[in-house]
Amino acid sequence: MSAEKTKKTVPYTVPIGPVHPALKEPVMFTFGMEGEIVRTVDFAPGQTHRGIEWMGMRRNPVQIVHLTDRVCGICGIVHSISFARAVEQIVGIEVPERADYIRTILHELERIQSHLLWAGVAAHELGFDSLFYLAWRVREESMDLIENLTGNRVNYGIIQVGGVRRDISDEQRPLIEKGLAYYEGLLDQMATLFLEDSTIRMRCRDHGFLSEDDARKLCTVGPSARASGLNMDVRQDYPYCAYGDLDVKAILPPAETGGPRGDVYDRIIVRLLEIGQSVGIIRQCLDAMPAGEILWEPKMAKLLAACKKADGEAIGRVEAPRGECMHYVRMAGKEAPESWKIKASTYSNLMSWIPMLQGEQLADIPIIVASIDPCLSCTDRVTVVRDGKPDILTKEDLTRLSREKTRRLMQ
Amino acid sequence: MARLPMVPELLKQLFSRPATNAFPSRHLPPSVTGFLAKVASGEATIHPPVPTPPKFRGKIVYDREACIGCTLCLKVCPAHAIEFIPETKRIRIYITQCIFCSQCNDICPKDALHMSPDFLLATENRYAESQIVE
Amino acid sequence: MTPDIPFIIIGAVLVALFGIVIGLFLMGFDRIVAARMQARIGPPITQPFTDIRKLFAKENVVPENAIPWMFNLAPVLALASAIVILLYLPIGGFTPILSEGGDLILVMYLLTVPALALVAGGFASGSPYATVGAQREMVTMIAYEFPLAIVIIAIAWKLAAAGIALPFTLASIQANPIWGLVGPLGTIGLLILLVVLLIVTPAELSRIPFDTPEAETELAGGILVEYSGKNLALFSLTQGVKTVAMASLVVALFFPYSLAAFIGLAGISGAVIDILFFIALITLVAFVSVSVVRVSMARFRINQVVSVYWVYLAIAGLTGLLLVMADQIIGVI
Ligand code: SF4
Ligand code: SF4
């Protein structure tokens, strides 16, 4: 619904964004309000388009893996694994088993830090800053661990097409064990602080509701979908890396907590439980990790040559902390890929905002918007500008453009 | 009954040491440059930053003697941070552009590139001496 | 005793200075203890003074949609009225400067004036955030007024029942510490009333969990969103003075003790001791009802603010009142 139309049907509108304290990343909301109640919701993403795919299509795969680290500021490894898996399928690379386990360990460490980051943001959106500081403080342990294993806190640069760039040494194992023990000891406390606090319960229980049906229709993914009762998780449904060997089940809000109800509270539960699940997965990995190579081809020049020869297309899918993330790559015998498309998890989750926000109070907008853990900079793959002004593409426009593009790619 | 499980935790924290690492000093000095000058002259001390782990990837170090000018590093640098100087057959690295991926370290046949633990690199000039390695 | 005009003027200036300095001190103290409770270091205690100095050096920006005269008048009005409240409250054992003219009921009404000035400023800013904030501020005001009135009436009633003349004047409350007048049942009642008043304080001061009018995450500062520079500085000072006023009210109603009299000091040193003791008391009150409360819970929705005050606190307040009454009746029998 356009802003002008909204204005006629509701008493007044409140704009939120693109830059606003409620939003950690830019998106433009227009709410049609009646008193404190949200009647209509409209949003415009595309405020932080960086043209990263364009940059990628001018670089070789070894360079692109480092770009993929920077698609998102939090999921550094998700996009890299996703891209690397796509290229590996095209080139026909078999990733050494040890590398798969190391990828899994880092993937889960990243989930721990991402969910803790989210927990902190959620607490802040509720005006509960003490909990925000606490969550971010305990998150440091996983950040330090990641920094120790990869060499950097945020943009890890650990994934390579065909494996990983750094092994986990015997000296690093006790560090990981220490970190896992730290989080195991912390889980109960976090659950108490978040789930038993009356003020949080008052704000989150039965708010930001998304029914199972809506979640399915709107293609919601990740923790947001699981909180609504959809049993889906790429790690369980289409195992990749080492997940096939491990015991991974999608986490739904347990019946003891009255779930799944699909409200904000359930989303908190799912994420907190997933931290525990990740700790368990890393434990399993440490026990089952075989010895061996970590790269399919340690000589970069040879790897590049192999990529250059490859021809074909593939999709890499992973379960990011926010839900399914997908990279489509098409190589056609050149150094750079002919096409590269990123579908970040938040892209699938954006539309769930509308049923969640309708009928809620203005005060709940921040926490509901945050409850899908939006990451706009990964999502914004396009911004429409016509004659120097932002423009809107309708569904018909998009269908037509996609068909045209597919035809172009087929030639 | 209303439950506030955070209260005991908060009171405990009130009497324990803050978790903040007071880098570079406990409170913002009135003048940062003045503070740094004082540190240089020994009048004040800098509270050290959190230590970096062993294989941290900080500012790049270049061994000019070992380099043979093969330009392989240029091929893999994702950020186009490396420039080849044809006259000297050596390379120049722009730190402001570098993304600290160490991909160039991996490919260099002569092991002429390394990452140092140095990470306090901010300056006001992209082309300052500290921002260019050659 | 009719104080002459020069005395009032000098007194008023002194009280204003006291209110502003101690108010800023309380804000700094709050920031430090809140930071410590959150395992942070926090700013130095002088931070609010630095902030105010900096704000005064900055330019006032009046938004295009604003009503300038109202927008600029609101902060002055807010600060002035906050200071006037202090003139009616006993500070550190001294009789209030304007004790003649007013009593508790007046204080209760005066307490709404800074809030009303804020609301006027909010509406005058012409921003949707400030408008929503101003509406919420009014609702909050109506919400906490009721429990506040119950507390004040309970105490005055008790004083009247104990046969004290002019029960609503602060001077008589000051002279007759309330705890001495009640039996065990009344003590429980008074404790409940004290808690009620301590919970009204954060709403009066717009702090978490009752900071819905400012609500940083949704309204980006709400009522104050358009304010900057000197106007914002005036509002910050108001906030400090209001903290002093509310804490002094709690102290005046429930802890009107004098340390100097207790240890038998008189004259200048007695007065100094008393002032210090008073500052310690209001700091304690501010710590409990502002710092601890604001770090330990999430922000309420506006309808939750109303139900907290109108339902839970009103019931608690009435229970306290009934207990005090029952105590009186039992005592008489
Ligand atoms: S570390 Fe990475 S970005 Fe920096 S110069 Fe080397 S290859 Fe380029
Ligand atoms: S790869 Fe190594 S040897 Fe070759 S140009 Fe770069 S630094 Fe010099």
Side-chain angles (χ1 to χ4, degrees), chain A residues 59-60 62-63 66 70 128 130-131 134 137 147 150-152 155-156 160 165-166 189 192-193 196-198 300 335, chain B residues 1-6 9-10 13 19 53-57 74-78 80 99-103 106-107:
Chain A
R59 282 167 168 80
N60 61 44
V62 171
Q63 290 174 311
H66 297 291
R70 286 151 179 87
F128 202 159
S130 308
L131 207 46
L134 189 116
R137 193 173 80 229
E147 190 184 27
T150 68
N152 257 348
N155 300 128
Y156 318 130
Q160 187 55 274
R165 293 174 63 207
R166 280 189 186 179
Q189 194 202 2
T192 317
L193 291 181
E196 289 183 16
D197 190 287
S198 304
M300 286 303 116
E335 280 219 325
Chain B
M1 188 56 210
R3 290 200 51 187
L4 296 171
M6 195 69 190
E9 176 69 28
L10 291 170
Q13 287 179 7
K55 290 200 279 179
F56 181 78
R57 298 196 302 258
L74 271 78
K75 242 181 110 48
V76 291
C77 177
H80 300 325
I99 58 172
F100 308 100
C101 64
S102 90
Q103 196 64 58
D106 290 6
I107 204 170

Side-chain angles (χ1 to χ4, degrees), chain C residues 38-61:
Chain C
Q38 296 168 336
R40 295 181 292 124
I41 293 178
I45 193 134
T46 50
Q47 192 61 43
F49 295 89
T50 319
D51 290 351
I52 293 287
R53 207 175 56 224
K54 181 151 189 184
L55 281 178
F56 270 116
K58 289 194 166 187
E59 170 197 14
N60 265 333
V61 179

